[in-house]
Amino acid sequence: MTCPDPADLMQPFSVDIDLQQGLMPNAASHLTRHASDMRGHYADTDALARLIDSGDPLHYEVFEVPVPAQAGQWMYCISTLQPGRVGDEFFMTKGHYHTLAETAEIYLCLRGEGYMLMKTAGGQCAWQAMTRGKMVYVPPYWAHRSVNTHEGEPLVSFCVYPGDAGHNYGNIEREGFPRRVFLRGGEIVIE
Ligand code: F6R
Ligand code: ZN
């Protein structure tokens, strides 16, 4: 193994994570998605329009300290998804494939309750429950979307994935997911 010139080496670093609140106080990047960013993703478009008109609430946040988007690096973030529903459908993230579809991802749930919905371009669909301490492995080629089914708490996850994975949202905007998560008659249903 040859080590690069010291001047070319990235230096070790650390960040603080507020595990309970689902925040990275000193994050270099803080992405927010509101109801109005979610057009086209929910089954009940009228309910989404009403939600946007009634104040366009926050849906989710992603806190990152970006690392170089290169093979060999690990990109990581805190993803915090608020509780709520659009009509009967629980709040969820947009969902994406990775641009490098052959890259996997790990989600460690830190707080809350929900599901990770996953699908492949070949028509397979799967889901895993998310609760504090559950680690969900999203294998290569699986698109993934998290869903918050708790009435009052955010769904907080620590995510880690290869630096060069990238995000492909376009395919999900066209295809959607074959399953959705609803509250029906007081029960959580995936249909
Ligand atoms: C990264 C990843 C998560 C999501 C985050 C927001 O590969 O899967 O960090 O980016 O949960 O969801 P999306 O990106 O679907 O809006
Ligand atoms: Zn991902």
Side-chain angles (χ1 to χ4, degrees):
M1 183 188 76
T2 52
C3 188
D5 190 289
D8 296 331
L9 273 180
M10 188 175 168
Q11 295 300 302
F13 67 94
S14 58
V15 295
D16 295 314
I17 296 174
D18 182 331
L19 303 179
Q20 179 62 15
Q21 296 305 317
L23 306 172
M24 226 185 247
N26 303 316
S29 140
H30 177 208
L31 177 150
T32 56
R33 299 248 190 252
H34 290 255
S36 54
D37 297 307
M38 298 300 292
R39 289 186 176 95
H41 290 289
Y42 287 102
D44 188 339
T45 49
D46 291 343
L48 182 65
R50 285 194 297 276
L51 196 62
I52 294 168
D53 287 346
S54 70
D56 196 16
L58 178 67
H59 251 58
Y60 58 97
E61 297 165 271
V62 181
F63 299 87
E64 284 182 321
V65 174
V67 299
Q70 296 167 356
Q73 300 274 1
W74 290 115
M75 199 75 86
Y76 63 92
C77 68
I78 291 285
S79 170
T80 300
L81 172 60
Q82 295 303 313
R85 288 191 301 277
V86 176
D88 295 339
E89 191 173 4
F90 288 104
F91 277 12
M92 61 192 186
T93 59
K94 288 177 176 229
H96 57 267
Y97 292 97
H98 289 161
T99 309
L100 278 188
E102 64 271 30
T103 54
E105 180 159 354
I106 286 169
Y107 275 70
L108 174 62
C109 181
L110 303 175
R111 180 181 173 193
E113 286 172 17
Y115 286 94
M116 179 65 67
L117 285 182
M118 291 163 278
K119 63 159 280 186
T120 67
Q124 294 185 70
C125 183
W127 53 89
Q128 291 286 326
M130 297 179 80
T131 53
R132 178 175 165 78
K134 186 80 82 178
M135 194 208 82
V136 177
Y137 191 81
V138 180
Y141 298 103
W142 288 80
H144 41 288
R145 150 181 290 172
S146 39
V147 183
N148 184 347
T149 56
H150 196 281
E151 286 295 309
E153 287 205 1
L155 180 69
V156 180
S157 307
F158 176 75
C159 319
V160 59
Y161 50 101
D164 56 348
H167 295 78
N168 168 0
Y169 293 101
N171 286 20
I172 288 300
E173 280 163 14
R174 284 188 292 278
E175 300 166 4
F177 274 70
R179 300 294 178 113
R180 296 174 176 278
V181 188
F182 296 99
L183 187 70
R184 298 238 195 268
E187 301 286 322
I188 296 167
V189 295
I190 302 173
E191 62 183 38

